[in-house]
Every structure is written in structure tokens, then in C-alpha cells.
Amino acid sequence: MAERTFVMVKPDGVGRRLIGKIIGRYEAKGLKLVGLKLQVISRDLAGKHYAEHAEKPFFPDLVKFITSGPTVQMVWEGNNAVEVVRAMNGATNSLKAAPGTIRGDLGLSMQNNVVHASDSVDTAKHEISLYFSDKEVCPHPMPDEHWLI
Ligand code: CMP
């Protein structure tokens, strides 16, 4: 199975009507969308997702922000999907993210940085399982796949 990663469009990305633009970037790259949801996540789920940051000073604001409106959860599949998506997203701080990256082109903030993506294959497995049941991830063949392996 090709590598999978988890991506979330944050409330700023949804509120600024950037969902289509963001999905379009990953699709154009050749990644395959195999899971998709839109929901306002609970504080409990946000706490589980960002557990590694629980002791950081920005954690309360991060939970408030990420639960403040709808977010889009996605599972993307493809060669080196984790690393490829992180490179496409750019540096965490949108102010420092390179032009050409999603945050570099679409953001101006550290906290409100448009997208989240898994930072390793193990994290991706964990984050996918937080948001999706096995049945909600839909692997499917695509006719152009032989060009993308
Ligand atoms: P993300 O890639 O989702 O991982 C953790 C999130 O916390 C990060 O994107 C930012 O939204 C936020 N974050 C990280 N560092 C800081 C910081 N120093 N100040 C405020 N928010 C931060």
C-alpha cells in the first residue's frame, strides 16, 4: 500500500474559502484523496490530536482556535506522502514559510497556519485513526497511477 498521511484544513483555511485551492494543490501533485470529512472537532479530540503540545504555553489558544469552527480532515496517499505534504505545506510559521508552499502563499500567522499535516508515518497512522474508521478510508485505483509510482 502506498504511504498515507493525514491533513487538516484549519478553521482559518475553511473560513477563508481555501479548501478547494488546498485540495487542488495535493491533487495536482499526484497524491490521491482516500478520506474526507468536514466537522467542528470537540475539545476532547483536539486535546488528543495535540497531546504532544499539552504543556506548551500556546496550547490553550491552539485548542480554542482549532475548535472554533469547521475543519476539513483528509487522508492522502502516494509515494512519500508524509514528507511530500510537509514540504508542500511549508514551515509551521506562515511568516517564515517559503513562497510556493501552502503556508507561504496563503498565510501570515504562526497559529492560524491554514493546514496541519502529520510529521511521520507513525504519527500519520495515529492521526488517521483519531479521525477515521477503517471503513471511512476508501482506497481506489486511478487510471493515471502508472505515471506516479
Ligand atoms: P501544527 O502543524 O498543526 O502543529 C501544532 C500547531 O500549534 C501549529 O501547527 C500551530 O498552529 C500552533 N503553534 C505552534 N507553535 C506555536 C507558537 N509558538 N505559538 C502559537 N501557535 C503555535
Side-chain angles (χ1 to χ4, degrees):
M1 185 176 70
E3 191 169 291
R4 286 179 178 169
T5 192
F6 172 79
V7 177
M8 178 154 67
V9 181
K10 298 185 179 185
D12 57 324
V14 176
R16 293 174 54 214
R17 305 168 203 261
L18 295 173
I19 301 167
K21 204 165 262 181
I22 292 164
I23 288 179
R25 286 200 184 213
Y26 301 136
E27 281 195 320
K29 179 70 175 167
L31 294 161
K32 177 162 59 171
L33 185 62
V34 294
L36 179 67
K37 287 185 180 182
L38 180 140
Q39 63 181 319
V40 179
I41 65 170
S42 66
R43 293 181 66 86
D44 181 53
L45 183 52
K48 284 183 185 148
H49 179 141
Y50 283 122
E52 67 175 295
H53 299 299
E55 304 306 321
K56 307 256 175 71
F58 60 82
F59 182 73
D61 281 345
L62 176 59
V63 171
K64 198 170 165 193
F65 161 60
I66 210 73
T67 59
S68 66
T71 52
V72 173
Q73 287 77 37
M74 297 179 281
V75 183
W76 287 93
E77 204 176 272
N79 280 349
N80 293 335
V82 170
E83 198 184 318
V84 165
V85 166
R86 282 189 73 80
M88 290 178 73
N89 290 353
T92 302
N93 186 346
S94 309
L95 284 169
K96 296 197 173 146
T101 64
I102 290 174
R103 291 169 178 149
D105 288 351
L106 304 176
L108 274 175
S109 162
M110 167 65 113
Q111 179 186 260
N112 308 338
N113 58 356
V114 191
V115 280
H116 164 86
S118 310
D119 61 7
S120 72
V121 172
D122 283 346
T123 308
K125 284 184 184 140
H126 173 63
E127 292 178 345
I128 291 166
S129 75
L130 278 179
Y131 291 93
F132 292 87
S133 69
D134 287 348
K135 280 188 182 162
E136 289 170 334
V137 180
C138 312
H140 53 98
M142 293 183 97
D144 61 355
E145 256 163 5
H146 62 289
W147 299 115
L148 297 164
I149 52 175

